[in-house]
Amino acid sequence: MQSGGNEQAEQDGVRRRKPGARRLQILQTLAVMLEDPKGERVTTAALAAKLHVSEAALYRHFASKAQMFEGLIEFIETTIFGLINEISAKETSGLKQLRKIVQMLLDFAQTNRGMTRVLIGDALVNEHERLQERMNQLMERIEASIKQSVRVAISEQELPGSLDASARAGLVVAFVIGRWHRFAKTGFKKSPGEGLEAVLPALLT
């Protein structure tokens, strides 16, 4: 047993890193491990082994495994809503907003495969229930943003005034979630954006 030496090495490593660097490394490694096509549950023991540190070293940066997942969710929230705000600010056309938001949500999954398993809740099974609750809230916010773009499209007469904005936003979100699920369940082989241009007219008009 050489745990004492390992702990000292870990402590020295932490001191050499910039503040927050180890936390970021832990989250990045967790995200990579979630990319496993088998979809197996990631344990703190496996995560620690991947990082070549002890589990105790992980808990110096995160109070719990749930807090690690919250870090991933915060990244998802910050990235997605930052991009949605950017799209809404640049595009006055509601239809163009919708197209770009849908494309962005699918591209995000393509680029962040491990995060896709968080988005669909697959990675949160048997984890703390507050994590799924937070993801549910995130999806509600996404749907609200899409609904607002639908309303803009209606006000600009790009969509019929009789259109139910809530129902259309729900349909768009259901489509995106379905594409995320297919991407994850095919071992990240079936691109979420496949054939999107052929589908968008039927989805948005």
Side-chain angles (χ1 to χ4, degrees):
M1 299 269 308
Q2 298 180 340
S3 59
N6 290 339
E7 289 291 330
Q8 184 60 49
E10 290 162 9
Q11 291 171 8
D12 291 343
V14 169
R15 280 196 290 267
R16 284 195 295 271
R17 292 183 180 88
K18 294 179 181 179
R22 173 62 92 180
R23 283 176 60 91
L24 180 59
Q25 184 186 28
I26 291 170
L27 293 179
Q28 289 173 332
T29 303
L30 174 57
V32 169
M33 292 178 74
L34 289 173
E35 294 181 9
D36 181 358
K38 297 177 183 177
E40 295 179 359
R41 186 169 184 247
V42 176
T43 64
T44 51
L47 178 58
K50 193 81 171 176
L51 287 161
H52 305 292
V53 300
S54 68
E55 287 185 74
L58 297 180
Y59 291 120
R60 283 200 291 271
H61 300 280
F62 294 94
S64 64
K65 185 181 174 186
Q67 196 177 83
M68 297 177 200
F69 274 105
E70 284 180 328
L72 294 184
I73 294 172
E74 285 172 8
F75 169 80
I76 292 171
E77 288 176 335
T78 301
T79 304
I80 285 180
F81 290 109
L83 291 170
I84 286 177
N85 290 338
E86 186 177 311
I87 290 168
S88 299
K90 287 183 177 180
E91 290 292 350
T92 56
S93 163
L95 271 183
K96 287 183 179 179
Q97 288 179 15
L98 287 167
R99 293 175 69 91
K100 290 190 175 183
I101 289 173
V102 170
Q103 182 74 66
M104 177 274 292
L105 291 171
L106 299 181
D107 286 346
F108 179 86
Q110 181 79 61
T111 306
N112 302 279
R113 297 187 300 179
M115 302 295 184
T116 304
R117 292 189 56 216
V118 178
L119 283 165
I120 65 174
D122 180 45
L124 305 180
V125 175
N126 298 322
E127 302 296 345
H128 199 290
E129 62 182 15
R130 77 170 182 268
L131 296 172
Q132 187 57 61
E133 290 171 359
R134 185 163 176 181
M135 283 308 308
N136 292 343
Q137 292 170 358
L138 184 148
M139 293 310 303
E140 288 173 1
R141 287 181 61 196
I142 289 176
E143 187 166 342
S145 296
I146 291 173
K147 182 179 177 180
Q148 179 57 35
S149 292
V150 172
R151 285 175 170 166
V152 170
I154 291 172
S155 70
E156 296 291 328
Q157 299 184 331
E158 296 173 310
L159 290 173
S162 58
L163 189 72
D164 186 323
S166 295
R168 184 52 57 97
L171 176 63
V172 172
V173 169
F175 168 78
V176 169
I177 293 174
R179 285 300 183 98
W180 286 342
H181 270 277
R182 187 181 69 166
F183 183 47
K185 299 308 179 184
T186 59
F188 305 113
K189 294 176 183 177
K190 200 80 168 177
S191 171
E194 182 183 58
L196 183 62
E197 287 305 315
V199 176
L200 280 176
L203 184 67
L204 300 181
T205 59

